[in-house]
Amino acid sequence: MALQPVAPAALGTASHPDRVAVVVAPYGDDGAYAGEFTARGWPCVAVELAPETLPPELAGSTVSGEYRGRIVHTGSLRETVKLLAPHQVGAVVAGSSLGIDLADQLAERLRSTGNDPSSSPLRHDIGLQAETLAAAGVAAPRGIRTASLATALDWAAFYDLPEYVVAAADTALEAPIRRCRSGYDLAVAWRAMRRTAHQQGLDPHLVLQEHLSGAVYHLDTVTGGGPFGAVQHRVTRVWAETRTPSGLHDRSDLVDPRGHAPRVLTLYMQRVLDILGVTTGVLRSRLVVVHGQGPVLVRAESGPPMDAADRVLRELTGSNLVQDAVQAVLPEGPRAATRPSPRPHVARVSLIAPQDGALDEELLRTITTLPTVRQAVGDLRPGARVRRTVARTSSPGELVLAADSRKDVDRDHRAIRSAERRGLYRGTAA
C-alpha cells in the first residue's frame, strides 16, 4: 500500500464514443463527477432518485453537470437497467451516499467495476460497521444498533459508561452526533434523532456507542485494482483533528503520511477495508486512537458530497475525493505516482460563534484576506446571520489555510480566533 503523497494522475484523453459512465444520485457534487469523467473522454448519464424518495432538504433539487442523459430510478432495478442498456455502460459510481446501494446493484447487473451489493450497507451504516469489525476481532466501539429507545436505555444501564454518543446508523442522515451523560440526555437525543430520520424518510435505526477519548484522525482512502488483479487500498490524505476545551472542532491539519501515527492508522485501515468488503471506490473515515488500545474506527462514509474545501484540495494535495473515485472505477484507470516534492501545510479551520449574531464586515474581511487563506467555505458575507456553534455542522463556515511553513498557518489561525474575540459575530444583520 502506498503511503506517500500522491500527484494528480495524468488524465486519459482517449475518447470512448461507445461507452459511458453512470453517476448514481449525484446530489451536492456541483457537477464534479460529470466534469471528472468528461475530462477523461467518458460521457456521463445521471441516475436520479424518484422525488418522493429524496430527503426534504433535497426536495426540488436538480442534478448539475454535463450529462448525456438523465434517468429517474423509480424503484425497479430491472427497469433502470433496461433504460441504461442502450448507453453501453462502462463505469458506475455513486455520486452521494444516497446512491451507494443502487450503484453497487447496477454495477453488478451491467458487469462494471463495483463492490458486492451484499456488502453495500457496510459502507454507510456505522452500526453495522462496528458489529462487523468486532465480530472479526478488530477494535471497534462498544455499542448497539436499534430502533428502540427502551433497548438503548437498557444497554446504557447495563454498561454504565461515563459518556455515550447517539448517532444515526445511516450516514446519509443529516443530523449531528449527540453526546450524552445520563439516561435523560440519551432519551432527549434519541427522540430528536428519530424525528429527523422520520422527516428525511431514512432508516429509523440509531446507534448508541461509548464515547471514545483520544487523538482523532480523518483518513481518505481509495481502493481499486492492483497488480495481477489484486485489490489495492491506498491512503490519500490523513488529517489530525484538534478540538477546543469545550469539545468543538477547532482545526484539522493535513499530516505527513510517512509519520509513525499515519503508518499505524494505515495498517489498521487496510484490515478494516478488507473486512468491510471494499473492493472499489473511496471512503472518508473518522478514527480515534485510544490510549493503550490503538486506532478504532468511529465511522466510514462512501462518497460524501463535495464542498468548496474539497475542490481546492485538489490543487493543494494533488487529488480529491471525486478524482479518486472516478479513477478507481475506470477500467484503464492510471495509477497515481508518488510526488517527491513536499506538500504545503494545509489546515481546515472551523469558525466558532459563541452566540447568535451576524458577521462583521471589517473583521470578516480581515480573516478572509489573511496570507495563508486559500478558500472560504459557507455563507461568509457581511451581515450574514449566524447561530451559536454547538457542533462542526453548525459552524458559520470554514477557512482552508495553506503555506509552506506551519508557523505561517498557526499565525493566521491565531488571527482568526482573535477576530472572533474582537467581535466577528457582532456585526449588523443584512
PDB file of all heavy atoms in Angstrom, residues 7 37 61 122 129 132 210 235 268 307 322 326 334 337 361 363 390-391 402 425:
ATOM      1  N   ALA A   7       0.427  12.453  -6.566  1.00  0.00           N
ATOM      2  CA  ALA A   7       0.282  13.543  -7.521  1.00  0.00           C
ATOM      3  C   ALA A   7      -0.915  13.271  -8.408  1.00  0.00           C
ATOM      4  O   ALA A   7      -1.389  12.145  -8.503  1.00  0.00           O
ATOM      5  CB  ALA A   7       1.546  13.640  -8.382  1.00  0.00           C
ATOM      6  N   PHE A  37     -15.310  12.736 -15.236  1.00  0.00           N
ATOM      7  CA  PHE A  37     -15.428  11.714 -16.278  1.00  0.00           C
ATOM      8  C   PHE A  37     -15.229  12.317 -17.669  1.00  0.00           C
ATOM      9  O   PHE A  37     -14.529  11.758 -18.518  1.00  0.00           O
ATOM     10  CB  PHE A  37     -16.787  11.026 -16.210  1.00  0.00           C
ATOM     11  CG  PHE A  37     -16.868   9.905 -15.212  1.00  0.00           C
ATOM     12  CD1 PHE A  37     -17.713   9.988 -14.110  1.00  0.00           C
ATOM     13  CD2 PHE A  37     -16.102   8.757 -15.363  1.00  0.00           C
ATOM     14  CE1 PHE A  37     -17.789   8.957 -13.195  1.00  0.00           C
ATOM     15  CE2 PHE A  37     -16.179   7.719 -14.459  1.00  0.00           C
ATOM     16  CZ  PHE A  37     -17.026   7.816 -13.360  1.00  0.00           C
ATOM     17  N   SER A  61     -34.432  19.493  -5.794  1.00  0.00           N
ATOM     18  CA  SER A  61     -33.037  19.589  -6.229  1.00  0.00           C
ATOM     19  C   SER A  61     -32.898  19.138  -7.673  1.00  0.00           C
ATOM     20  O   SER A  61     -33.585  18.229  -8.126  1.00  0.00           O
ATOM     21  CB  SER A  61     -32.138  18.732  -5.338  1.00  0.00           C
ATOM     22  OG  SER A  61     -32.126  19.205  -4.021  1.00  0.00           O
ATOM     23  N   LEU A 122     -22.441  -1.872   4.597  1.00  0.00           N
ATOM     24  CA  LEU A 122     -21.250  -1.684   5.431  1.00  0.00           C
ATOM     25  C   LEU A 122     -20.505  -0.405   5.088  1.00  0.00           C
ATOM     26  O   LEU A 122     -19.613   0.007   5.842  1.00  0.00           O
ATOM     27  CB  LEU A 122     -20.306  -2.879   5.277  1.00  0.00           C
ATOM     28  CG  LEU A 122     -20.842  -4.229   5.756  1.00  0.00           C
ATOM     29  CD1 LEU A 122     -19.817  -5.322   5.525  1.00  0.00           C
ATOM     30  CD2 LEU A 122     -21.216  -4.155   7.229  1.00  0.00           C
ATOM     31  N   GLN A 129     -21.040  -1.381  10.663  1.00  0.00           N
ATOM     32  CA  GLN A 129     -19.575  -1.334  10.603  1.00  0.00           C
ATOM     33  C   GLN A 129     -18.968  -1.816  11.917  1.00  0.00           C
ATOM     34  O   GLN A 129     -18.070  -2.677  11.935  1.00  0.00           O
ATOM     35  CB  GLN A 129     -19.103   0.090  10.300  1.00  0.00           C
ATOM     36  CG  GLN A 129     -19.397   0.553   8.890  1.00  0.00           C
ATOM     37  CD  GLN A 129     -19.161   2.038   8.697  1.00  0.00           C
ATOM     38  OE1 GLN A 129     -18.708   2.739   9.609  1.00  0.00           O
ATOM     39  NE2 GLN A 129     -19.468   2.540   7.501  1.00  0.00           N
ATOM     40  N   THR A 132     -19.576  -5.601  12.523  1.00  0.00           N
ATOM     41  CA  THR A 132     -18.783  -6.451  11.638  1.00  0.00           C
ATOM     42  C   THR A 132     -17.318  -6.483  12.064  1.00  0.00           C
ATOM     43  O   THR A 132     -16.675  -7.538  12.069  1.00  0.00           O
ATOM     44  CB  THR A 132     -18.904  -5.964  10.189  1.00  0.00           C
ATOM     45  OG1 THR A 132     -20.288  -5.948   9.825  1.00  0.00           O
ATOM     46  CG2 THR A 132     -18.150  -6.866   9.233  1.00  0.00           C
ATOM     47  N   GLU A 210     -20.246   3.873  23.018  1.00  0.00           N
ATOM     48  CA  GLU A 210     -19.388   4.505  24.011  1.00  0.00           C
ATOM     49  C   GLU A 210     -18.679   5.696  23.374  1.00  0.00           C
ATOM     50  O   GLU A 210     -18.332   5.673  22.194  1.00  0.00           O
ATOM     51  CB  GLU A 210     -18.345   3.510  24.516  1.00  0.00           C
ATOM     52  CG  GLU A 210     -17.404   2.991  23.432  1.00  0.00           C
ATOM     53  CD  GLU A 210     -16.359   2.045  23.969  1.00  0.00           C
ATOM     54  OE1 GLU A 210     -15.881   2.269  25.103  1.00  0.00           O
ATOM     55  OE2 GLU A 210     -16.012   1.078  23.260  1.00  0.00           O
ATOM     56  N   VAL A 235      -4.112   5.069   1.066  1.00  0.00           N
ATOM     57  CA  VAL A 235      -4.467   6.241   1.861  1.00  0.00           C
ATOM     58  C   VAL A 235      -4.010   7.477   1.100  1.00  0.00           C
ATOM     59  O   VAL A 235      -2.832   7.607   0.769  1.00  0.00           O
ATOM     60  CB  VAL A 235      -3.814   6.191   3.254  1.00  0.00           C
ATOM     61  CG1 VAL A 235      -4.066   7.500   4.005  1.00  0.00           C
ATOM     62  CG2 VAL A 235      -4.357   5.018   4.050  1.00  0.00           C
ATOM     63  N   TYR A 268      -4.132  -0.337  10.176  1.00  0.00           N
ATOM     64  CA  TYR A 268      -5.456  -0.643  10.733  1.00  0.00           C
ATOM     65  C   TYR A 268      -6.529  -0.515   9.659  1.00  0.00           C
ATOM     66  O   TYR A 268      -7.390  -1.387   9.502  1.00  0.00           O
ATOM     67  CB  TYR A 268      -5.741   0.302  11.901  1.00  0.00           C
ATOM     68  CG  TYR A 268      -7.163   0.227  12.445  1.00  0.00           C
ATOM     69  CD1 TYR A 268      -7.536  -0.768  13.340  1.00  0.00           C
ATOM     70  CD2 TYR A 268      -8.118   1.160  12.042  1.00  0.00           C
ATOM     71  CE1 TYR A 268      -8.833  -0.825  13.835  1.00  0.00           C
ATOM     72  CE2 TYR A 268      -9.414   1.103  12.525  1.00  0.00           C
ATOM     73  CZ  TYR A 268      -9.769   0.106  13.422  1.00  0.00           C
ATOM     74  OH  TYR A 268     -11.059   0.054  13.900  1.00  0.00           O
ATOM     75  N   ASP A 307     -17.579  19.792  -1.143  1.00  0.00           N
ATOM     76  CA  ASP A 307     -17.775  21.180  -0.787  1.00  0.00           C
ATOM     77  C   ASP A 307     -16.602  21.980  -1.339  1.00  0.00           C
ATOM     78  O   ASP A 307     -15.703  21.443  -1.989  1.00  0.00           O
ATOM     79  CB  ASP A 307     -17.937  21.368   0.726  1.00  0.00           C
ATOM     80  CG  ASP A 307     -16.701  20.922   1.516  1.00  0.00           C
ATOM     81  OD1 ASP A 307     -15.608  20.835   0.924  1.00  0.00           O
ATOM     82  OD2 ASP A 307     -16.836  20.665   2.717  1.00  0.00           O
ATOM     83  N   VAL A 322     -13.467  13.110  -5.459  1.00  0.00           N
ATOM     84  CA  VAL A 322     -14.113  12.791  -6.730  1.00  0.00           C
ATOM     85  C   VAL A 322     -13.109  12.227  -7.729  1.00  0.00           C
ATOM     86  O   VAL A 322     -13.381  11.220  -8.400  1.00  0.00           O
ATOM     87  CB  VAL A 322     -14.823  14.034  -7.305  1.00  0.00           C
ATOM     88  CG1 VAL A 322     -15.240  13.802  -8.745  1.00  0.00           C
ATOM     89  CG2 VAL A 322     -16.050  14.368  -6.468  1.00  0.00           C
ATOM     90  N   VAL A 326     -13.429   8.439  -9.374  1.00  0.00           N
ATOM     91  CA  VAL A 326     -13.516   8.227 -10.820  1.00  0.00           C
ATOM     92  C   VAL A 326     -12.364   7.350 -11.292  1.00  0.00           C
ATOM     93  O   VAL A 326     -12.552   6.402 -12.061  1.00  0.00           O
ATOM     94  CB  VAL A 326     -13.525   9.576 -11.550  1.00  0.00           C
ATOM     95  CG1 VAL A 326     -13.333   9.383 -13.051  1.00  0.00           C
ATOM     96  CG2 VAL A 326     -14.837  10.316 -11.279  1.00  0.00           C
ATOM     97  N   PRO A 334      -5.353   5.016 -14.553  1.00  0.00           N
ATOM     98  CA  PRO A 334      -3.918   5.073 -14.315  1.00  0.00           C
ATOM     99  C   PRO A 334      -3.603   5.072 -12.829  1.00  0.00           C
ATOM    100  O   PRO A 334      -4.378   5.545 -12.012  1.00  0.00           O
ATOM    101  CB  PRO A 334      -3.516   6.412 -14.958  1.00  0.00           C
ATOM    102  CG  PRO A 334      -4.749   7.250 -14.878  1.00  0.00           C
ATOM    103  CD  PRO A 334      -5.906   6.293 -15.028  1.00  0.00           C
ATOM    104  N   ALA A 337       1.104   8.383  -9.192  1.00  0.00           N
ATOM    105  CA  ALA A 337       2.528   8.298  -8.904  1.00  0.00           C
ATOM    106  C   ALA A 337       2.863   9.089  -7.649  1.00  0.00           C
ATOM    107  O   ALA A 337       2.133   9.983  -7.234  1.00  0.00           O
ATOM    108  CB  ALA A 337       3.325   8.838 -10.087  1.00  0.00           C
ATOM    109  N   GLU A 361     -18.454  43.189   8.944  1.00  0.00           N
ATOM    110  CA  GLU A 361     -17.831  43.353   7.630  1.00  0.00           C
ATOM    111  C   GLU A 361     -16.316  43.511   7.715  1.00  0.00           C
ATOM    112  O   GLU A 361     -15.556  42.841   7.005  1.00  0.00           O
ATOM    113  CB  GLU A 361     -18.431  44.571   6.910  1.00  0.00           C
ATOM    114  CG  GLU A 361     -17.850  44.788   5.525  1.00  0.00           C
ATOM    115  CD  GLU A 361     -18.556  45.910   4.772  1.00  0.00           C
ATOM    116  OE1 GLU A 361     -19.437  46.565   5.373  1.00  0.00           O
ATOM    117  OE2 GLU A 361     -18.219  46.111   3.591  1.00  0.00           O
ATOM    118  N   LEU A 363     -14.107  42.805  10.209  1.00  0.00           N
ATOM    119  CA  LEU A 363     -13.393  41.646  10.749  1.00  0.00           C
ATOM    120  C   LEU A 363     -13.488  40.447   9.811  1.00  0.00           C
ATOM    121  O   LEU A 363     -12.554  39.642   9.724  1.00  0.00           O
ATOM    122  CB  LEU A 363     -13.933  41.299  12.131  1.00  0.00           C
ATOM    123  CG  LEU A 363     -13.566  42.296  13.239  1.00  0.00           C
ATOM    124  CD1 LEU A 363     -14.305  41.975  14.530  1.00  0.00           C
ATOM    125  CD2 LEU A 363     -12.053  42.302  13.471  1.00  0.00           C
ATOM    126  N   VAL A 390     -22.626  24.769  18.053  1.00  0.00           N
ATOM    127  CA  VAL A 390     -22.741  23.674  19.017  1.00  0.00           C
ATOM    128  C   VAL A 390     -22.116  22.395  18.469  1.00  0.00           C
ATOM    129  O   VAL A 390     -21.934  21.420  19.197  1.00  0.00           O
ATOM    130  CB  VAL A 390     -24.210  23.415  19.402  1.00  0.00           C
ATOM    131  CG1 VAL A 390     -24.786  24.632  20.123  1.00  0.00           C
ATOM    132  CG2 VAL A 390     -25.049  23.068  18.177  1.00  0.00           C
ATOM    133  N   ALA A 391     -21.778  22.384  17.182  1.00  0.00           N
ATOM    134  CA  ALA A 391     -21.144  21.234  16.544  1.00  0.00           C
ATOM    135  C   ALA A 391     -20.494  21.731  15.256  1.00  0.00           C
ATOM    136  O   ALA A 391     -20.743  22.857  14.808  1.00  0.00           O
ATOM    137  CB  ALA A 391     -22.161  20.140  16.236  1.00  0.00           C
ATOM    138  N   ALA A 402      -3.216  27.348   3.827  1.00  0.00           N
ATOM    139  CA  ALA A 402      -2.113  26.575   3.266  1.00  0.00           C
ATOM    140  C   ALA A 402      -0.878  27.462   3.172  1.00  0.00           C
ATOM    141  O   ALA A 402      -0.965  28.636   2.798  1.00  0.00           O
ATOM    142  CB  ALA A 402      -2.471  26.025   1.889  1.00  0.00           C
ATOM    143  N   TYR A 425     -18.731  38.251  15.258  1.00  0.00           N
ATOM    144  CA  TYR A 425     -20.149  37.884  15.157  1.00  0.00           C
ATOM    145  C   TYR A 425     -21.079  38.933  15.744  1.00  0.00           C
ATOM    146  O   TYR A 425     -22.235  38.673  16.035  1.00  0.00           O
ATOM    147  CB  TYR A 425     -20.373  36.518  15.841  1.00  0.00           C
ATOM    148  CG  TYR A 425     -19.405  35.481  15.355  1.00  0.00           C
ATOM    149  CD1 TYR A 425     -18.383  34.993  16.184  1.00  0.00           C
ATOM    150  CD2 TYR A 425     -19.467  34.994  14.054  1.00  0.00           C
ATOM    151  CE1 TYR A 425     -17.476  34.058  15.731  1.00  0.00           C
ATOM    152  CE2 TYR A 425     -18.564  34.055  13.593  1.00  0.00           C
ATOM    153  CZ  TYR A 425     -17.562  33.589  14.433  1.00  0.00           C
ATOM    154  OH  TYR A 425     -16.655  32.669  13.976  1.00  0.00           O
TER     155      TYR A 425
END
